[in-house]
Amino acid sequence: MTKVIIEGMMCMKCVAHAKQALEKLGSDVEVSLDDGLATLNTSASDEEIRKAIDDAGYEVKEIIHE
């Protein structure tokens, strides 16, 4: 499981946008606006995750692998 701390999400449309960006990496994704956190199961690299979030217009603060 990978957790991604995301900065810049302000509303549920932002959550949907970030979720769509991460789903393109081929993973199940849950995104929480309150926590600014995405949880996903993926084999994508940190670089791919960062690029997906950056391209969606948000900033990755931290990626945590559990």
Side-chain angles (χ1 to χ4, degrees):
M1 180 181 305
T2 302
K3 294 185 177 183
V4 183
I5 299 172
I6 302 170
E7 187 170 281
M9 296 187 300
M10 302 295 178
C11 64
M12 292 309 292
K13 285 185 180 181
C14 295
V15 168
H17 195 213
K19 183 174 180 177
Q20 286 177 330
L22 292 170
E23 285 175 338
K24 290 179 182 176
L25 299 176
S27 64
D28 294 325
V29 180
E30 294 294 325
V31 180
S32 169
L33 177 62
D34 293 335
D35 300 328
L37 180 71
T39 304
L40 55 148
N41 291 312
T42 184
S43 60
S45 69
D46 287 3
E47 183 177 306
E48 291 170 312
I49 293 169
R50 283 186 191 280
K51 180 168 178 15
I53 293 298
D54 287 347
D55 288 351
Y58 309 104
E59 182 180 349
V60 172
K61 289 309 229 178
E62 187 175 1
I63 298 175
I64 304 162
H65 298 282
E66 296 183 342

